[in-house]
Amino acid sequence: MDFAEIESIEGLRFPWNTWPSLASSSSSSEAAALFTPILPLSLLHTPLFPITDLPLLPYDPLHCHSCNSTLNPYARVDYRYAIWTCSFCHASNHFPKSYSRIGENQLPVELFPTHSSVEYSLRINKDGGVGIVFVVDLAMDESEMAVLKREIMGVVTGLDDTVSVGLITFGEGGSVWVYDLGFGECSRVVVFDGTREISIDKISELLSNSNFTTNHPSFGLGKSSSTSGKFGFLLPISECEFNITSAIDEIACSSQSIPGHRTERATGSAIAAAVAMLGVCLPQQRGRILVFTSGPATIGPGMIVQTDLGEQIRTHNDILSSKAPFYLKACEFYNNLATKLCEKSLVLDLFACSLDQVGASEMRDPVENSGGLMLLAESFESGQFKKCLRYIFRRKNSDHLDMNFNATIEVVTSRDIKICGALGPCMSLRNKNRSVCNKEIGHGGTNLWKLGTITNKTCIAFFFKVTNRRNTPQSGPVFFLQFQTRYRHGDGGYRLRVTTAARRWSYSISSEVVSGFDQEAAASIMARLAVLRAKKYDSRDVIRWIDKLLIRFCSTFGEYIQEDPSSFRLSSNLSLFPQFMYYLRRSQFIDVFNNTPDETTFFRLMLNREGVVGSLIMIQPTLFQYSFDGPPVPVVLDISSVSSNVILLFDSYFYVVIHYGTKIAQWRKLGYHNDPSHENFRKLLEAPELDLEMLLSDRFPTQKVIRCDQYGSQARFLLAKLNPSLTQKSPSAPDGADIILTDDVSLEIFIEHLQELAVQA
Amino acid sequence: MASTQPPPTRPRPGYGTNPNPNPNLNSLVGSVQNMQIGNRPSQPPPGPAYVGGIPPQPNNHFGPPGPIVRPGPPPPHSSARPVGAPAGFVAGRPLSAPMVNNGPFTSPPGGPGPFRGNPPQTISSTSGNQGPFSGGPVPQTLNGPSASQTPFSGAPMTQPAVSGGPFASHPPPSSQTPLGGRSLPVRPPFSGPPSSQPPFPGAPPQSSRPPMMAAPPTSQSPFMGPVPSQPSITSTPPASQPPFIGGPFPMFRQPFPGRPPSSQLPYGPGAGQAMPNPSFPGAPPPSQPFNQMPQPPSHQFPGSQMVRGPPGSGISHGSQPWSSQTTQSSPQGMLGMSSTMAPPPPRMYGMATQAPVSPMMGHSPGSTPSKIDPSQVPRPMPSGSSPVIFETRIGGQASIPPPATSDFIVRDTGNCSPRYMRSTINQIPCTGDLLSTSALQLSLLVQPFALPHPSEEPIQVVDFGESGPLRCSRCKGYINPFMKFIEQGRRFVCNLCGSVDQTPRDYLCNLGPDGRRRDVDERPELCRGTVEFVATKEYMVRDPMPAVFFFLIDVSMNAVQTGATAAACSAISQAIADLPEGPRTKVGVATYDSTIHFYNLKRSLQQPLMLIVPDVQDVYTPLHTDIVVQFPECRQPLEQLLENIPIMFENTKIAESALCAAMKACSLSMKPTGGKLLVFQSVLPSVGIGSLTSREAEGRTNISIGEKEAHKLLQPADKNLKTMAIEFAEYQVCVDIFISSQTYVDIASISVIPRTTGGQVYYYYPFSALSDSAKLYNDLRWNVTRPQGFEAVMRVRCTQGLQVQDYFGNFCKRIPTDIDLPGIDSDKTIMVTFKHDDKFQEGSECAFQCAILYTTVYGQRRIRVSNLSLPCTSMLSNIFRSADLDSHFATFLKRAANDVPTNPLSHVREQVTNLCINTLHAYRKYCATVSSTGQLILPETLKLLPLYTLALTKSVGLLADGRFDDRSYWINRAFILSTALCVPLVYPRMIAIQDLASMEDGMLVPPVLSLSSDQVTDDGIYFLENGEDALVYVGNSVDTDVLQKIFGASSIDAIPTQFVLKQYDNELSKKLNEMVSEIQRQRCSYLRLRLCKKDDPSGILFFSYMIEDKTPSGLSYLDFLVRLHRQIQTKMA
């Protein structure tokens, strides 16, 4: 089975493509008992997967009156009576008049068997523009600020006139300034004291009270009827171009740091103010908050550390051992913020360009759940930041931003399937119905999720549970799942993407089950679950959990003779899974050593929204080798691949390393590539660069690129990820071969142990 | 009532009277009578008026009173009078009076040149008459008929008898005695009357005289003294008196003159604004007011017999004293209270003086119930026009200061100027018992930054270098002229606590043969009552703060629409030109409605930046820098901003006001430095912390239940504001609030803030952009330019034996001994009360030292130390003789203001009256002669106390029917009012504008009329002012020509109600404008003019100031005297 191909039609990846049914024989219950604990029934869904030939239907869908599923190719249609029977709940529905011409030879698009995914363009009034709020930290260097201002200005000038913009700054003394862009007589800002925690509602109320625009002659009552003219804090560019540009221009940094102290930053309050402001000014709910910060939040709600430099910013250990005094409080604050963002369907993006941590860890919830972007870089001057910012404001075509807002995903299931939850950049709407399971995984307790924004890469993992108790599943050998993703398209219109999937039930561990196992999807799901678990537990616990699962997996699906490790075999369909798990155990998602909580958060957040391909790269990076011997080839992620006469291109998703073997590096230093007589050396050097560019073009946010020579200090980025098959302890290390100095076990040893354990009773 | 007291000098009423050179004219009686008569007579107009007023009173009155005191003789006219002679006396009286006094008190006649004139004796001798006057005051008693007596009873003289049953009862004879007052003197006064005799049946006089004579020596003094007012005395005293006389007058006069000059500057004429303040300084104003008033009365006097009486009594009562009447009295009969009598007379007055007289006479003679001749009742007298030179100590003795309201130039010879510290009693009772016996108050009125007279020497600054000023090691008192150096100067004894300290080596100086240091005269701290020390680091907890002026402007809908916002911006814009120069001056601006808007003024090249603080429940400052910026740097943007504010908020629809939150936010902005917060507010603060409700309306709906609780509306609504205010004070933020409102704003609550932070409330109600803008600007300008200090701490120390009991005024008190004044300025007065904790030795001195540590507007830290050393006495008569009317009344006023919010009104009024009664009773009981039982005898020095007490009970603050805001404002004003302005607050001066035409050249302010509706005629235009507001009353039948000249309008109806006084090109208008400028200069206040028309609410307002009238809520003056007399009688029994 080519899972990727199926994905390209449905946007779905199922770790198990056949699900066990509890309904029948003892063997089926045995099956259930077997593989549910190993890996929950789940799938990865990329709701807006770019499907070729996706039909865009200019009418509203037909919904089943009982379960709300939409008409789909799996529905049984009775043309005579113009009735269709829902494949999920088996209810009968009449076709409306507009379908009167329906017939066996005249099917509506949504009934075409090939179109398991269709998109409707809903006929809902589209009004209101997009609201963008820039939240700028004033406590940064002049040079940084200059770059940042230039970038923001670039964004602003590139926006359509209909896009509304707002500006909030925070700096000196923890004060937060909300600019009133609708006031002509002077610059007007509403100031909040960022050191105090005020509820969003209160801020909204205060902002409403401070509104002046309605009373101002140039923005008289006449204009308040237009959607955005009412509040001066957020105005269409056409109305405030001068004010916003001059306001941005006048932003001055206020970093008067006191020796021995960090600058005061009320990041949390500033974000809260932005949320409140958008809530007040933007009833149509298409808002995005971009936070630009250059250091840790040191004051007010969401602070992560005090200004006193004597105090260290929390580490993983501090958090686990409850020695991070502000951590929980800040998390709670941001959790609430996340709820608000969800309520108002706003998106929060964090651009943290700092050498220090900024508190991204605490801010994970609002950023992740709203579908926002998090970028950790060292400087606003870095290309990473610039590209990333521009990427957000890219245009699909000339007339609108490629930015979708206010998405909801509704899942409809066959009766025997209950929904446990979802993992990914979404928020549960707590909409319970009979298909919702009491057991929650991730964002659970609902069949409806909210996403502040959604891109065509956004990928969400859904978890299910089979609960059929009856002896015979009504639906026969097949079950259905339908995903309805409703969102506000960049052009302002509402869309509904419906994907309906059908999979088989299995009643035993048959080859069908094995062949239906998608080990890549399974690894991704495992990774998300591990990350979820890592939020609560120490990484050793997580690793133990993974190991336990893996052992059970192997002992269940492996072919072996009891107590004989050497006899252990896994079918090719499953054979890579242990290896994925090995790399997952070592990955930065689980092993947080050497990473700050902010970085870890960033990694995990990225993992949680990436599709199967992307997350697999994160788990097990790719390594390409460029040599004179032939075209670039992927090589094993192993120390043995390092060689002095090759160039390696290592892609771990978060960063890319181009690693030059010593010889290559030497030649390069000698300038051979500039010598026409060594044309192919030049080409060799160019090859990875070209590939790199391709990689980057598609990645978002853009990753860090590291170019290093063998034995150079930067080479550590590569070495850290390679399988330490040769270490200082390896007796057999051939002379001159590279080794990795580590105590970690190598993949081989890991597998050995795994086999041993798997074959035990 | 005995009046009595001769107080020395007290010119008290400083009435300018002098005019009357006449004094001499007649001596004695004759003169006396004349005076009264004469003067007034001449002034026909007034006369009538009075009459009118009086009549009513008659009944109760004490006839006598009338005559008595009346200080004020009629200025100009008097002379004119044919009666002339008499009139003349009047003038004289001042002198005489003094003389009298002196004698008595100070035994040392000659000594105190100034006031004390011993003269009494002389007087008596002279013409008895005069004596009376002078001493007079006291005497006044009214006699009631025997029966009635109770009241005044005894009174006087025969006449009295006449008077009706009431007072008079006591036959004259007795009355006379009374005069004598217990103390001796009293009588004399009456006796004085002799001359007046006619009236009195001879008898009285005689008797009286004797007393008088005697009196002088001792007790009498009381009477005599003070009163000078009336001319009376004048002549008499020939001998001794002269000296005094001379003295006194001059003094008074000079003062006045002095002022004038300056005056103009200040508010300037119409332009108003422009005027330089400088002028203000001249405190002078006070004095004048009174003067005039009195006069009118005097005219009447004439009519009344009283006059005569006085003369006779000459000695004792000066005219003033009521007593005098007695004396004279008898004629007058005084005081008599014959109720009946009165009526008639009054009318009579109206015209012919004489006529009236006769009636009076009649009474007296009749001995029947005598009535008080209204015209003879004590009234303030005009003061002289040129300032008096006052040396604070003469011959090693403290001198008794001239009235606060008079014009004088102080020469600091060891005691501080009375402007800085004025004691209610200038001789300290040796024991607490003695003080309580006298029923007088012992308080100091401290005005540390009082404006000096332009001709006075500036306060010297003494720099002790790093060691700081020399202080007593035990009580920390500062070195002063009364510290005694012993042992060749090696040690010194503290005059406050008595401990002995080593003299620091570098401060050593040998003693001269007189036991004083040889360098005394070179060292200001050893020879001046007031000096400033340069403060060292020890006196600073931080660097001295800069002068910070933060303007907070209401821009809520109401404020914008009424023009208050524009007025405030314009006023600020103009006033900043006068801010202290220099880099240390900083300013800030904020506006507020339901939110608070700050402005960053430091962005010279960019648009101004408005920073809004939306959270009015929990405020904060938007920036820690750049909100308050150095003034010169931001002048341009500031001016621009002020111009823009009214435009920016032009169409605002926000009606809410977050005043308190805004103040708090500003104070947070000012926290690092402290400074002045000037708030311009228009509506009731309705949102945010400290928001208030319209309690007044609630109070009104519950009136039936609420009557008892009504005063609670004068208390702050809750404690939030107090807490906030204390916080402001901690930050050294001084808040002044300018309220330009048309509705209730709950001043009672809001005022807590200025009151606790050393600020003050300005109130423009109902606000009119047209007529109030100029005042707003002038008030603001004076506010920022007047002499002032910041972050001050003040403590008053006194010699062991006394201790400070309490402080009253606008300040924050955290520890019992000190008061914190975030701001203190030349207009603020603090009352300090004392109690005995030990005895003093007779002949010792009790010293008071007020030290105030403050930062000048230029950022220097200074300690201003004022010293006052007063003799101690165990003689009650001395105490009365040295009592100070102005400061006494100030204590009454301030105590009442303090009590009103916490006590039912009736209670407060009663208390005030009782204070007055107790004092008079004490005097009557211990200082008046036995025989005077039937009379109302008033101490000369305090003879106006009843009048002012009455005025106080009828003042805005003590009337239940006033708006609560008005009353709260009144209370606030009373709290800080300087001694000189206390009386005008309740007893305004009224001037007939038509008199301007006939005024002599050089005089800027015409004579004052007494506050009685008799004085007001339909064809006249009157100007009435209390130092803050001025009412222009236009009668119904005023000549259109005059209207045209003054208002530029042809009829009354054509004059807009909100009018602005303009100068037209004619003499009358010019004089009027000059007069207004002069008054403004005197009061240091830009008067708020309001037009009043008869038969209009404004007319009712005007007549509510006619203190002497009977009103629904209060007695007429004469009735009041009768009541006092009766109660005293009751007590005596």
Side-chain angles (χ1 to χ4, degrees), chain B residues 277 547-551 571-589 629-632 634-635 638-639 642 676 678 777 780-786 788 790 857-858:
Chain B
N277 314 319
V548 176
F549 296 90
F550 202 107
F551 302 97
I572 297 168
S573 190
Q574 296 173 67
I576 53 175
D578 296 307
L579 290 179
E581 288 176 9
R584 293 185 61 91
T585 301
K586 294 180 159 191
V587 295
V589 176
V629 290
Q630 292 191 346
F631 174 56
C634 67
R635 179 150 187 186
L638 179 60
E639 284 174 353
L642 289 168
K676 293 205 67 142
L678 301 146
Y777 161 63
L780 175 62
R781 183 167 174 283
W782 179 234
N783 184 294
V784 300
T785 54
R786 61 189 172 186
Q788 55 192 299
F790 306 121
V857 292
Y858 299 108

Side-chain angles (χ1 to χ4, degrees), chain B residues 265 680 744 757 1030 1045:
Chain B
L265 311 176
F680 298 84
Y744 174 72
T757 59
K1045 279 183 176 169

Side-chain angles (χ1 to χ4, degrees), chain A residues 1-18:
Chain A
M1 245 191 268
D2 187 342
F3 304 114
E5 196 176 304
I6 297 172
E7 183 182 18
S8 70
I9 300 170
E10 296 178 331
L12 295 170
R13 292 282 292 254
F14 286 73
W16 304 105
N17 279 286
T18 45

Side-chain angles (χ1 to χ4, degrees), chain B residues 933-944:
Chain B
T933 51
Q935 294 174 300
L936 174 59
I937 302 180
L938 305 177
E940 172 59 24
T941 44
L942 302 177
K943 67 177 187 240
L944 289 172

Side-chain angles (χ1 to χ4, degrees), chain B residues 471-490:
Chain B
R471 302 174 69 171
C472 165
S473 61
R474 191 204 290 171
C475 70
K476 299 291 176 195
Y478 292 84
I479 182 76
N480 65 61
F482 310 103
M483 294 241 180
K484 188 163 189 234
F485 285 83
I486 53 173
E487 297 179 21
Q488 286 83 50
R490 281 181 310 220

Side-chain angles (χ1 to χ4, degrees), chain A residues 172-173 175 177 183-193 196 198 202 206 209-212 215 217 250, chain B residues 594-595 603 606-615 617-620 622-625 648-649 651 653-654:
Chain A
E172 189 203 337
S175 65
W177 292 9
F183 196 69
E185 308 294 336
C186 64
S187 309
R188 189 170 184 273
V189 299
V190 175
V191 182
F192 291 94
D193 182 353
R196 313 178 177 178
I198 322 176
K202 176 76 179 164
L206 294 174
N209 289 344
S210 323
N211 184 41
F212 200 74
N215 303 317
E250 285 175 10
Chain B
S594 61
T595 57
R603 316 191 329 155
Q606 299 153 306
Q607 274 195 313
L609 172 61
M610 183 199 289
L611 300 153
I612 297 161
V613 174
D615 192 344
Q617 291 298 342
D618 190 7
V619 296
Y620 40 85
L623 278 184
H624 294 288
T625 55
M648 288 195 287
F649 295 94
N651 296 319
K653 296 281 181 294
I654 301 172

Side-chain angles (χ1 to χ4, degrees), chain B residues 441-444 803-808 831-835 891 895:
Chain B
Q441 316 286 317
L442 178 54
S443 309
L444 276 187
Q803 67 181 51
V804 173
Q805 188 172 28
D806 211 350
Y807 295 90
F808 293 81
M831 177 168 84
V832 188
T833 57
F834 297 89
K835 65 178 179 204
T891 62
R895 279 182 187 279

Side-chain angles (χ1 to χ4, degrees), chain A residues 574-586:
Chain A
L574 315 174
S575 60
L576 288 178
F577 188 67
Q579 185 183 333
F580 290 149
M581 290 303 103
Y582 168 75
Y583 284 108
L584 176 62
R585 290 168 89 248
R586 295 190 77 210

